[in-house]
């Protein structure tokens, strides 16, 4: 079910998919939002879900680049989930090299 939702959202326009990814990262506390937003408690499952999504066909090179850039700028927010963060970063690197 999550794949179906993500496929639909990430297959939308570039603007809509980027807005979704940045909003998700704001809710996770990785990015600061423009408005006050109550952050979710960060748990490894959120990052593992993203790791799974990165490996799917619907997760484009542009999405990989955006997520990689945003995560590399604020890795401190993910310290509490370091093992899941490493898995996500590894999946992003593999996908980046697959496109090159």
């Amino acid at each position: 079910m999550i794949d179906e939702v993500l496929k639909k959202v990430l297959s939308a326009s570039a603007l809509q998919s980027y807005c979704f990814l940045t909003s998700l990262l704001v809710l996770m506390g990785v990015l600061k939002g423009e408005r006050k937003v109550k952050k979710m408690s960060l748990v490894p499952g959120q990052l593992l879900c993203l790791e799974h999504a990165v490996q799917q066909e619907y997760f484009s090179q542009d999405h990989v680049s955006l997520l990689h850039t945003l995560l590399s700028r604020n890795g401190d927010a993910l310290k509490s989930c370091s093992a899941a963060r490493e898995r996500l970063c590894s999946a992003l690197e593999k996908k980046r090299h697959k496109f090159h």
Side-chain angles (χ1 to χ4, degrees):
M1 181 155 142
I2 289 176
D3 277 327
E4 293 171 20
V5 171
L6 289 176
K7 183 176 182 177
K8 185 172 181 136
V9 170
L10 296 175
S11 297
S13 72
L15 178 61
Q16 287 176 324
S17 61
Y18 283 13
C19 286
F20 170 77
L21 286 174
T22 54
S23 295
L24 181 64
L25 294 175
V26 167
L27 288 172
M28 292 170 64
V30 177
L31 295 177
K32 274 193 167 183
E34 293 179 11
R35 293 182 239 135
K36 285 235 180 217
V37 175
K38 185 176 180 184
K39 295 187 299 187
M40 302 183 276
S41 296
L42 187 61
V43 295
Q46 296 160 333
L47 299 178
L48 296 175
C49 182
L50 279 175
E51 175 204 2
H52 170 78
V54 164
Q55 298 171 24
Q56 306 308 308
E57 286 183 28
Y58 60 77
F59 211 93
S60 72
Q61 176 63 28
D62 291 336
H63 297 130
V64 169
S65 296
L66 176 68
L67 191 56
H68 184 269
T69 300
L70 295 175
L71 288 177
S72 66
R73 290 185 179 172
N74 196 3
D76 291 345
L78 304 175
K79 279 185 180 177
S80 64
C81 303
S82 59
R85 179 186 179 275
E86 289 302 316
R87 287 181 57 168
L88 174 56
C89 289
S90 176
L92 288 166
E93 283 298 319
K94 285 179 188 172
K95 187 94 171 211
R96 285 178 66 197
H97 292 300
K98 180 180 176 180
F99 286 108
H100 285 102

